[in-house]
Amino acid sequence: MSMKDRLVDQAKKLASSSTVVRVVSNDRVMRLATGVMDAKNRLRAARERAAEAWDILLNGHALPNIDPALDDEAGVHGAAPARAAAPRAAANGGALSTVEEATTDRAAARPRTNGAAANGAGTYVAAAAEQQLATQMAARTSLSRIGGRDVFEKAFKFMTADNARAMGVYPFFRPLDFNNGPEAQLEGRSVIMLGSNNYLGLTTHPKVREAARSAIDKYGTSMTGSRLVNGSMRLHNELEEKLAAYHGKEAGLVFTTGYQVNIATISALLSNKRSVAIIDKDDHASIYDGVRLAQAAGARMVRYKHSDPAALDGALSELADTEGALVITDGVFSAQGEIASLPGIVEVVKKHKARLLVDDAHALGVIGPGGRGTAAHFGLSKDVDLIGGTFSKSLASIGGWLVGERKVLDYIQHFAYSFLFAASAAPPCVAAAMAALEVMQEEPWRQEKLRENFTYMRTELQRLGFELGKTETAVIPIYIRDDLKTVMMWKSLLDDYAVYVNPFITPGVPPKQQVLRTSYMATHERKHLDHALEAFEKVGKKFGVI
């Protein structure tokens, strides 16, 4: 081995040591390294930013703006007042001005830096490159606001994903070769799957598989039309009746996707200027999109502090006498694993004579007697007007469902464009979901085993010193609170220990809320969980999280 090769080998070993990893992942050290190694280019970038700022002032381009759904404070009832004119802090500890955010993707994505990171030419150069990537991830820019004659311009300026791929730290859209529930195969390698919402492990259940096969044999693969015209089948009606009976409601409605449930329901019910959506700040993106459609028809959106009935009370108290409100909350919040404060919410909703929709996507099969979800968990099924969800979690399929009063559902199916003009759920998907619903009731041990598994993991992860928030369900977030560290821990868990988890980073979550999201199944065995705990302990210590 040549002297050069030996030096490179020693540098790689040094770079991967736990001490160096802690140092280079330290915000102050990394910013210092970036400043020293890239001073010339930082000056050039500053000139570019100044030039672009002047261009924005002259030409009136819309400055980047953050989605209010991702902001912890803006316009939220019950939140602390925002400090005026304070710069938004990046998740890596640095502050970014609005103009800096507008130019981060252009200034930070230089091939020279990418090359330095990719070829391993020194720990501090790699740290500088990773710091630039972290800045990009944390900036929360909105490229969608970029305008001009070419609508593709924003796409060519989007560099973050390309840079992450080049550095081998891109965590999203990874194609699985095979997924058997508790284990999956990724690029020819077996991994423990802690990133799936297959809570009851029913995607491979013999009864569910057979139902899908039989439906294909009998009905074919698709109805090739919407429910309005040729896309409705007795199969859809049968599942709707079973879902309604399961939840103790008058009627049910089957949709093509779970996302469509919220878009269709909210936009149909909130269709004029006297309608108001009152939503939990941390509600799912599909709820926000449904509200945006309603806003196009004149409805208003009001957000309240997460899972805070008092804040909800304050929001409802400010409505005009002529306004009607639909309160919308997740039953189990998909990132936090936290159960909504439904008793207090129901009390406030009744006080103000509003209506209540609960999205139980992550609650069905997980909590409540017989897996019936959040309302049943609190004994409040009769007090919740509408309950909706998806087939894609515990029901082991693709599609969505809504239950409630017959007249309300009848109105939705006649006035929701996203229901009226969307192709209906495919027969094998409907049949699989119906079989999964039956198995849930025939095999109650699955919910019991699921609870045993996630309780064990929550207890052990807390014992190791991880911060888990208020999770009470099969979703257990491990708070890292830093974009780059979250991605690097995800990579180490996968590459070094074959443990698959989901990294949630900005702008998908607000700054300082970055987590490794883990989720558990009834079919996980103790050997899977113990291996994962060993991996979490080693990686947590390596990156200084525990």
Side-chain angles (χ1 to χ4, degrees):
M1 182 183 290
S2 66
M3 178 65 73
K4 179 181 177 181
D5 291 337
R6 284 198 297 271
L7 288 173
V8 170
D9 185 59
Q10 290 175 2
K12 287 182 177 179
K13 290 180 179 178
L14 177 63
S16 63
S17 71
S18 59
T19 301
V20 170
V21 167
R22 286 192 185 191
V23 171
V24 301
S25 63
N26 181 276
D27 295 336
R28 293 181 180 179
V29 172
M30 294 178 74
R31 288 201 300 274
L32 177 61
T34 302
V36 172
M37 300 298 297
D38 203 27
K40 181 178 178 181
N41 288 293
R42 286 166 66 84
L43 289 172
R44 183 185 299 116
R47 288 196 297 270
E48 290 178 2
R49 288 196 293 270
E52 183 160 353
W54 182 247
D55 182 63
I56 289 171
L57 289 172
L58 287 177
N59 298 312
H61 296 309
L63 293 174
N65 209 354
I66 61 174
D67 188 330
L70 303 175
D71 190 289
D72 268 338
E73 306 298 337
V76 178
H77 270 266
R83 284 175 288 181
R88 290 198 301 276
N92 60 9
L96 295 171
S97 71
T98 307
V99 174
E100 285 175 328
E101 289 182 348
T103 59
T104 298
D105 285 290
R106 177 184 297 173
R110 290 194 162 78
R112 177 199 58 75
T113 307
N114 289 344
N119 62 22
T123 301
Y124 286 109
V125 177
E130 290 175 357
Q131 176 63 13
Q132 287 191 335
L133 176 63
T135 301
Q136 286 182 297
M137 292 191 296
R140 304 180 73 198
T141 66
S142 180
L143 285 171
S144 63
R145 301 318 198 265
I146 293 176
R149 297 292 297 177
D150 185 0
V151 297
F152 285 3
E153 181 184 3
K154 62 181 73 70
F156 298 127
K157 288 184 176 181
F158 175 56
M159 297 299 298
T160 306
D162 284 341
N163 289 347
R165 291 186 188 104
M167 295 167 63
V169 294
Y170 184 68
F172 308 117
F173 300 102
R174 299 288 293 270
L176 295 171
D177 305 322
F178 183 74
N179 186 8
N180 196 31
E183 295 185 19
Q185 188 170 303
L186 176 66
E187 298 169 357
R189 181 188 183 200
S190 179
V191 298
I192 294 174
M193 175 53 70
L194 299 186
S196 171
N197 299 320
N198 183 19
Y199 298 125
L200 299 179
L202 295 179
T203 58
T204 57
H205 193 283
K207 182 173 180 176
V208 176
R209 283 178 160 176
E210 179 55 34
R213 278 193 296 264
S214 297
I216 290 176
D217 291 341
K218 185 175 182 179
Y219 304 111
T221 57
S222 171
M223 293 306 298
T224 65
S226 69
R227 293 289 302 273
L228 176 67
V229 285
N230 68 298
S232 288
M233 299 184 61
R234 292 189 185 277
L235 193 66
H236 293 98
N237 297 141
E238 184 181 354
L239 179 54
E240 288 168 347
E241 291 170 2
K242 288 185 175 182
L243 284 165
Y246 177 71
H247 285 93
K249 294 295 184 181
E250 187 179 6
L253 192 59
V254 165
F255 295 74
T256 313
T257 70
Y259 208 99
Q260 183 196 29
V261 172
N262 285 329
I263 291 177
T265 302
I266 296 167
S267 62
L269 293 175
L270 305 179
S271 55
N272 55 59
K273 293 181 179 179
R274 295 186 299 278
S275 304
V276 185
I278 312 287
I279 67 174
D280 187 293
K281 177 183 69 67
D282 289 354
D283 275 347
H284 190 263
S286 59
I287 292 174
Y288 275 95
D289 276 355
V291 173
R292 289 186 182 103
L293 278 178
Q295 287 176 310
R300 290 198 300 123
M301 176 180 72
V302 177
R303 301 188 304 152
Y304 63 91
K305 187 178 178 182
H306 173 57
S307 207
D308 188 335
L312 172 61
D313 187 34
L316 286 167
S317 297
E318 294 182 4
L319 296 184
D321 292 339
T322 57
E323 290 182 315
L326 177 64
V327 176
I328 313 162
T329 181
D330 287 7
V332 170
F333 290 87
S334 60
Q336 302 101 317
E338 182 182 352
I339 303 173
S341 302
L342 201 58
I345 291 171
V346 165
E347 182 180 351
V348 171
V349 168
K350 285 186 172 183
K351 171 185 173 182
H352 293 277
K353 296 181 173 58
R355 296 292 186 176
L356 177 61
L357 165 62
V358 174
D359 181 342
D360 253 1
H362 293 271
L364 183 73
V366 178
I367 62 173
R372 286 174 174 80
T374 312
H377 174 75
F378 290 109
L380 295 170
S381 297
K382 294 181 180 179
D383 299 296
V384 175
D385 298 295
L386 294 169
I387 304 173
T390 177
F391 296 170
S392 63
K393 277 70 177 177
S394 292
L395 292 183
S397 185
I398 292 293
W401 57 274
L402 182 71
V403 295
E405 292 184 59
R406 185 190 67 81
K407 286 296 292 180
V408 177
L409 270 59
D410 193 39
Y411 178 89
I412 291 167
Q413 73 175 357
H414 283 92
F415 284 86
Y417 284 3
S418 50
F419 178 83
L420 282 167
F421 302 110
S424 67
C429 295
V430 176
M434 187 150 38
L437 183 63
E438 292 169 0
V439 173
M440 282 172 53
Q441 298 168 79
E442 294 166 355
E443 301 180 4
W445 66 263
R446 289 180 179 271
Q447 188 184 356
E448 295 166 8
K449 181 62 175 176
L450 174 62
R451 175 171 294 279
E452 177 187 316
N453 283 345
F454 71 68
T455 301
Y456 174 71
M457 288 301 293
R458 183 179 62 210
T459 301
E460 291 302 303
L461 286 167
Q462 287 174 333
R463 181 185 62 80
L464 290 174
F466 287 105
E467 179 189 356
L468 308 181
K470 298 179 180 179
T471 178
E472 303 170 75
T473 65
V475 174
I476 299 181
I478 300 174
Y479 282 86
I480 310 301
R481 303 194 184 279
D482 178 273
D483 279 324
L484 182 60
K485 193 175 290 187
T486 301
V487 172
M488 298 307 291
M489 288 181 68
W490 158 82
K491 180 175 173 60
S492 181
L493 285 165
L494 185 59
D495 291 352
D496 301 333
Y497 301 98
V499 175
Y500 189 110
V501 301
N502 294 312
F504 280 19
I505 58 175
T506 54
V509 294
K512 297 299 181 184
Q513 297 297 313
Q514 299 89 337
V515 300
L516 292 173
R517 180 190 185 273
T518 69
S519 50
Y520 300 90
M521 310 177 205
T523 47
H524 277 126
E525 299 175 18
R526 188 57 60 92
K527 66 179 181 181
H528 298 128
L529 304 182
D530 286 341
H531 174 83
L533 286 168
E534 181 181 353
F536 285 130
E537 182 176 17
K538 290 179 179 178
V539 174
K541 289 180 178 178
K542 178 180 179 180
F543 286 90
V545 173
I546 57 173

